[in-house]
Amino acid sequence: MHEVAEMRLANPASQHREGARARRLLEQYRLSILQMLGAKTDGMDSDRLLLTSGGTESNNLAIFGLARPGTRVLMSAIEHPSVTTAGQYLASGGYQQNRQQHTDSLVNSFSTSGVPNSNFDVRAIPVDHDGVIRLNRLEELLKEAPTSLVCLMAANNETGVIQPFEEACGLARQYGALIHCDAVQWVGKRPCEFQKWGLDSLSLSGHKFHGPVGIGGLVLRSGVSLQPMLFGGFQQDGLRPGTESVMLAAGIAEALSLSLAFEYGLLDGMRREMEQRLLALGPEISINGAAAARLPHTSNVALGNLDRQAFLLAADMKGLCLSAGSACASGSSEPSPVLEAMGASKQVLNSSIRISLGRDTTPEQMADATDRICKIYANLQK
Ligand code: PLP
């Protein structure tokens, strides 16, 4: 990024030679990102990468841009708020007209029945106790009514639980729906096969794999028609206008390449060790989503009868940066909608914390953090 900044590039949308130089570089980064994500990059039917400000914008763009009025839109019950809230907005018929209704419903997200006066019949796809969507319910929902869009995340941000998105792609296609995948937690940690999986769109976010904050992307299958959310210039075919940052594009491309070269399996062993030590504290401790396949950098632990906010405060005092649910819900005392959708008990909802590992986390740090967590647990039990 520093190198690109030093080049003092012109606006890549400019017609002059300096603009063309910036544009060439930008397109190189775009191409390398698409290739790393398993998208099609040659021929007339190449997939596209729209650069955005991050995962939230990419998800909003996919939902508002792909959902068609008068149809059903399906979303898993455990999607990130940037998906569920956008779904709620669609269901409510628009923020302007339904400000109050929208605000009220944010808490509960969409439910199992459509909202009257909306052109979109937004429904939740339920999940099982481990947080994996029920594919049979997805098929029933698809069968019931014409569906324009299915949204299914690759892996959940609170539990790390991986979703059967390849199977979901097959079902969506069978019933003529497009499928969008929020792969913000997945990209950079696991190989991505956009074409092979059969997705229509996919979101990624730079800061989830040690790239810069403020850049993300939406990969869009060739031929899929997307309505823009922003209006302005002709950048990115007018689908996401605004001056593109070559420096941020360099950052996300380089971060993705470094991240894909890292052996994330190393984190798996560290997490397993930590979880085993925590489980040994007593039968009241459990790991949410433990029976499902999970990404290796996230652990969601229920701490028996302890209050999660009290635990997080005590942990913070001991230098541990832990969280309850997603960072977007931090500070909120509301129970996690993800754990609720998994049918968690009141005790599990009240006591669950999320522990995240990073690429730089060492076994020594993990052992030290686990010691501290065990000590805090013992102290709070007194
Ligand atoms: N989707 C998932 C699964 C996430 O974990 C996040 C961020 O935590 C987002 C979307 C939003 O991404 P961003 O923070 O880049 O807007």
Side-chain angles (χ1 to χ4, degrees):
M1 286 173 70
H2 186 70
E3 272 170 29
V4 173
E6 298 264 287
M7 288 181 195
R8 305 182 68 80
L9 293 168
N11 186 332
S14 291
Q15 292 304 304
H16 45 64
R17 214 180 297 172
E18 284 302 304
R21 182 165 84 108
R23 196 155 58 245
R24 269 197 305 277
L25 204 52
L26 178 67
E27 294 314 318
Q28 255 175 32
Y29 294 129
R30 206 191 295 275
L31 181 68
S32 90
I33 294 168
L34 280 167
Q35 283 168 343
M36 285 188 272
L37 297 176
K40 188 169 187 312
T41 54
D42 53 357
M44 295 300 283
D45 56 348
S46 296
D47 299 324
R48 283 185 288 186
L49 171 66
L50 301 177
L51 294 171
T52 65
S53 62
T56 299
E57 186 189 330
S58 299
N59 284 336
N60 274 252
L61 182 55
I63 292 161
F64 297 122
L66 298 176
R68 295 286 170 257
T71 66
R72 181 169 274 190
V73 175
L74 300 175
M75 303 180 162
S76 88
I78 50 149
E79 293 294 310
H80 185 268
S82 57
V83 172
T84 54
T85 313
Q88 193 55 47
Y89 177 82
L90 275 185
S92 71
Y95 191 66
Q96 295 305 325
Q97 302 98 306
N98 291 292
R99 186 179 288 256
Q100 193 52 48
Q101 182 189 352
H102 174 67
T103 313
D104 288 344
S105 52
L106 288 184
V107 175
N108 250 334
S109 190
F110 41 82
S111 68
T112 48
S113 63
V115 176
N117 302 328
S118 164
N119 274 329
F120 299 93
D121 177 20
V122 184
R123 305 289 179 108
I125 314 160
V127 295
D128 65 18
H129 190 65
D130 279 302
V132 180
I133 63 150
R134 296 183 189 275
L135 284 167
N136 60 336
R137 279 297 294 141
L138 168 60
E139 181 155 21
E140 282 164 15
L141 287 160
L142 283 164
K143 247 185 215 161
E144 274 170 21
T147 303
S148 56
L149 181 64
V150 174
C151 297
L152 178 62
M153 66 198 327
N156 184 262
N157 48 304
E158 294 188 29
T159 60
V161 170
I162 294 172
Q163 299 301 316
F165 50 90
E166 279 194 76
E167 289 91 329
C169 282
L171 284 174
R173 201 151 302 283
Q174 191 182 330
Y175 289 91
L178 296 176
I179 181 158
H180 167 68
C181 181
D182 172 356
V184 162
Q185 290 290 331
W186 178 283
V187 169
K189 286 143 197 151
R190 286 280 178 94
C192 202
E193 295 287 354
F194 180 78
Q195 267 287 327
K196 197 173 131 233
W197 292 337
L199 290 170
D200 292 295
S201 63
L202 172 144
S203 296
L204 64 147
S205 175
H207 67 99
K208 295 296 179 192
F209 44 86
H210 299 260
V213 181
I215 183 157
L218 183 71
V219 182
L220 200 60
R221 177 177 287 275
S222 156
V224 170
S225 140
L226 180 93
Q227 298 294 316
M229 219 170 54
L230 300 176
F231 298 88
F234 292 109
Q235 297 95 337
Q236 313 202 71
D237 296 330
L239 293 176
R240 203 289 190 174
T243 303
E244 294 140 292
S245 164
V246 186
M247 186 181 73
L248 289 176
I252 192 171
E254 183 67 14
L256 183 55
S257 151
L258 290 172
S259 201
L260 288 172
F262 179 76
E263 182 42 73
Y264 269 89
L266 294 173
L267 300 188
D268 209 21
M270 284 189 246
R271 180 184 62 179
R272 198 171 324 119
E273 213 162 288
M274 173 202 62
E275 288 183 347
Q276 275 162 6
R277 284 187 60 199
L278 296 185
L279 286 169
L281 289 172
E284 68 282 10
I285 311 280
S286 59
I287 309 296
N288 296 311
R294 288 180 291 154
L295 287 182
H297 65 290
T298 306
S299 181
N300 198 302
V301 188
L303 294 166
N305 59 3
L306 288 193
D307 173 64
R308 67 197 155 116
Q309 297 297 353
F311 189 89
L312 293 178
L313 266 176
D316 196 21
M317 307 268 279
K318 296 280 179 211
L320 291 177
C321 304
L322 307 176
S323 64
S326 71
C328 308
S330 292
S332 142
S333 55
E334 291 298 327
S336 151
V338 172
L339 298 182
E340 276 185 324
M342 290 163 64
S345 68
K346 213 167 177 177
Q347 177 162 299
V348 167
L349 288 175
N350 285 339
S351 69
S352 291
I353 59 161
R354 186 180 67 159
I355 303 171
S356 304
L357 291 77
R359 213 161 70 198
D360 305 327
T361 309
T362 63
E364 293 73 29
Q365 287 173 331
M366 215 47 212
D368 174 42
T370 311
D371 286 346
R372 294 192 219 185
I373 293 173
C374 291
K375 272 196 199 122
I376 300 163
Y377 183 79
N379 281 340
L380 290 176
Q381 287 291 351
K382 284 178 191 159

